[in-house]
Amino acid sequence: MPNVSRVILDSLWAEGASAFFMVPGKQINAFMSNYRDGEYADHPRISPVLSAAEGGAAMMADGYARASERFGIVIALDGPGVANTVGGISTACADRSPVVLLSGHVPTGFDAHDALQDVTPTGLDTASVLRPLTSTSLQVRSAAHPIRYFDITLRKLVEQPTRPVYLSYAADVLFSETSDAPLRTNSLSKSRLICDPVDLQRVIDTVNASSSVAVLVGSQANKKAVRRLLTRLSEDHGILVGSTLDAKGAFTESHPNSVGVFGYSGNQRAHDLFMRNGPETVLLIGCRPSQWNTNGWAGVSGAENVIEVTSEVKDIGNFSPGSQTLLCEELTFLEHWEASMTEESFPGNADLRERVEQVRLHDDIPDEGDALNPAQAVRCLNSGLKDRICIADSGNHRSFATHYWTTDIDAGFYSTTNMGMMGWAFGAAVGISFARDEPCLVITGDGCTLMHGMEIQTAVRYRRNIIFAIFDNSSYGATHMNNIKNIPELSALPSHDWVKFAESMGATGFRVTSIGELDTVVQKIKDSDGVHVLHLVVDRDAPTPAGSYRTNLKAFEASKTGAR
């Protein structure tokens, strides 16, 4: 009979996962032993990927989950290993990314003996530490029915909102043989919520009675089937589409009907359409009401009808207070809406589009200054590498990437929006590349590289096709901008040679100080496979394209505190 670890790995493969991310350790030897001794045919088909650190493994699993639209898996030694994943798990939790954290801990009988790395309730009690960040946090200390705990964990992955899960087994339980067969859910891609038909028809009637309509799509709806259907609806009926910040790329931005991003560092065209000169009806599809998504809690206005449609009850009615609401699976709504349309639907959309096209999409980029402007750098990267998936890290560079990068491929942009963990993109890009097997570009900063840049080594080791563009402004850029009156040393960073850093890990590096040099390097490597690192020396004081957001945030703060 197979042991518990083998049953779990085979089950994860059956659920659609092709890889898991890990750092090896004694208490997870059971998982590792499945790749030793015997023919390949006898090994689990799901493959291990060794990261430089457990935090990186968690970020890889997060990136894999987002790109695969299923779930990602991280396996770590419990205690120090699992503790190292907490930052990545918290980021996945904040962004509703379904990550499975599996671990092994001290064998049965070791608890209550002051054992090394005891994580049971007599020690660190890791389950309690992770409980606020997961939908289920379980430790298995008995071989009586170990797979039942795995079934409970899988079921939690399909609940709304999706969140990480944690499941830890005693090391000897992982090695124990079992005849139990795990639950076969295959349910992450299935509709989980059917809305009230009366409410559904009410909303559809309101929308179809409108002369013009525009759609703002959010991360809750950022799924392949929804993206395809929304694109078809847009093309068949001339519907303009924007995305919230956390759903950038859910509607391909090079499409003529795209108005770009609404929210922090978003596009002028989207802000004008959804806040000032809107259509008769705005449809919010799967939008999360976060600070960045709502552009500083400005919400949507300027339309006669604002209708929120989402499958997440926590979000309903919160993106734009006072709007009409419909609790419904996003794909279900779009399918019923499409079936109800006619060729005569929305006659005012053509005039709406003509009016919207008079508004600029991007902020102007100042020409003055000798230093490389980050906005110019993003545009240059976008021009030469538009066929790559863009993964943006947290920092000032994220603002420039959001505004000036135009997605040219389906689901062509990933970032973390609700936690903003620095260095996340290094691990996430590796996971994304395993999920989609497409070339990637990471836009990151020198501060982020100090935190998790060692995962460049993982990208090299597994021959990933990733370009890491490090925007080096010798500072924690966002801190420098937000705390301009503070002591300079609190945000300044020493200069580093990121080319040598890259080369020490087996990557190819290039130092760039001007837009001409960057264009030359991009042309040289754009069709190359492998791992490349671009050290971009950029202007620290270049203003970020977040003026609308800052204005709205100040207005919100004044409304809450009475400050002016």
Side-chain angles (χ1 to χ4, degrees), residues 444-500:
T444 186
D446 49 337
C448 293
T449 309
L450 287 172
M451 295 189 181
H452 293 288
M454 65 278 200
E455 297 304 345
I456 292 174
Q457 180 265 353
T458 309
V460 171
R461 180 177 184 177
Y462 289 93
R463 300 178 182 178
R464 299 293 90 193
N465 189 352
I466 302 175
I467 295 172
F468 295 91
I470 301 172
F471 283 52
D472 183 0
N473 55 16
S474 295
S475 70
Y476 293 113
T479 301
H480 168 73
M481 290 290 191
N482 293 330
N483 301 283
I484 202 71
K485 296 180 180 179
N486 281 357
I487 301 171
E489 295 92 305
L490 295 179
S491 58
L493 289 173
S495 297
H496 295 283
D497 190 334
W498 296 117
V499 171
K500 289 183 179 179

Side-chain angles (χ1 to χ4, degrees), residues 337-354:
W337 185 31
E338 181 183 41
S340 71
M341 292 184 189
T342 67
E343 292 183 1
E344 289 74 33
S345 296
F346 319 120
N349 277 359
D351 291 339
L352 177 66
R353 176 173 177 171
E354 184 176 343

Side-chain angles (χ1 to χ4, degrees), residues 536-552:
L536 310 183
V537 182
V538 299
D539 183 5
R540 181 185 62 181
D541 296 311
T544 57
S548 174
Y549 169 81
R550 287 191 292 267
T551 298
N552 294 334

Side-chain angles (χ1 to χ4, degrees), residues 243 247-255 258 260-261 362 382 385-390 401-414:
S243 75
K248 180 177 170 67
F251 188 83
T252 306
E253 293 169 314
S254 59
H255 194 286
S258 171
V261 169
H362 299 116
N382 197 185
L385 304 171
K386 62 182 180 180
D387 60 335
R388 287 181 176 253
I389 301 167
C390 182
T402 296
H403 190 83
Y404 292 104
W405 182 275
T406 299
T407 60
D408 198 52
I409 59 176
D410 179 53
F413 191 91
Y414 295 92

Side-chain angles (χ1 to χ4, degrees), residues 352-372:
L352 177 66
R353 176 173 177 171
E354 184 176 343
R355 183 172 75 244
V356 167
E357 286 179 341
Q358 304 305 309
V359 181
R360 292 183 305 172
L361 190 62
H362 299 116
D363 291 358
D364 292 332
I365 302 174
D367 293 329
E368 65 270 11
D370 297 328
L372 177 59

Side-chain angles (χ1 to χ4, degrees), residues 98-115:
V99 170
V100 180
L101 172 57
L102 296 172
S103 68
H105 60 260
V106 294
T108 54
F110 278 46
D111 50 320
H113 282 72
D114 200 18

Side-chain angles (χ1 to χ4, degrees), residues 141-154:
R141 301 288 295 158
S142 169
H145 42 72
I147 300 304
R148 289 182 64 86
Y149 292 90
F150 181 67
D151 289 350
I152 291 170
T153 300
L154 283 184

Side-chain angles (χ1 to χ4, degrees), residues 189-377:
S189 61
K190 296 179 182 178
S191 174
R192 298 182 293 274
L193 181 68
I194 303 299
C195 59
D196 183 279
V198 175
D199 283 347
L200 174 62
Q201 193 59 51
R202 168 184 59 82
V203 168
I204 288 177
D205 288 344
T206 300
V207 176
N208 288 346
S210 307
S211 62
S212 58
V213 63
V215 171
L216 183 63
V217 60
S219 61
Q220 198 70 21
N222 192 4
K223 302 291 188 292
K224 183 180 292 186
V226 173
R227 295 194 300 268
R228 287 178 175 175
L229 179 49
L230 186 56
T231 300
R232 184 168 71 240
L233 290 173
S234 172
E235 293 173 348
D236 290 348
H237 300 280
I239 298 172
L240 296 176
V241 181
S243 75
T244 56
L245 181 71
D246 61 2
K248 180 177 170 67
F251 188 83
T252 306
E253 293 169 314
S254 59
H255 194 286
N257 288 345
S258 171
V259 296
V261 169
F262 178 88
Y264 169 77
S265 298
N267 301 104
Q268 295 185 36
R269 192 169 292 174
H271 291 160
D272 185 81
L273 176 65
F274 294 114
M275 293 179 65
R276 287 178 287 276
N277 298 309
E280 185 175 341
T281 294
V282 167
L283 271 172
L284 308 174
I285 308 293
C287 295
R288 291 191 63 187
S290 69
Q291 178 176 329
W292 276 9
N293 284 342
T294 58
N295 201 27
W297 292 295
V300 170
S301 58
E304 183 176 330
N305 303 304
V306 179
I307 302 174
E308 294 185 46
V309 179
T310 181
S311 58
E312 176 44 55
V313 67
K314 289 177 63 177
D315 296 340
I316 202 76
N318 291 324
F319 192 99
S320 189
S323 62
Q324 300 180 52
T325 61
L326 176 66
L327 185 63
C328 184
E329 220 279 332
E330 292 83 5
L331 181 60
T332 298
F333 171 78
L334 291 177
E335 289 172 340
H336 282 79
W337 185 31
E338 181 183 41
S340 71
M341 292 184 189
T342 67
E343 292 183 1
E344 289 74 33
S345 296
F346 319 120
N349 277 359
D351 291 339
L352 177 66
R353 176 173 177 171
E354 184 176 343
R355 183 172 75 244
V356 167
E357 286 179 341
Q358 304 305 309
V359 181
R360 292 183 305 172
L361 190 62
H362 299 116
D363 291 358
D364 292 332
I365 302 174
D367 293 329
E368 65 270 11
D370 297 328
L372 177 59
N373 189 296
Q376 291 176 323

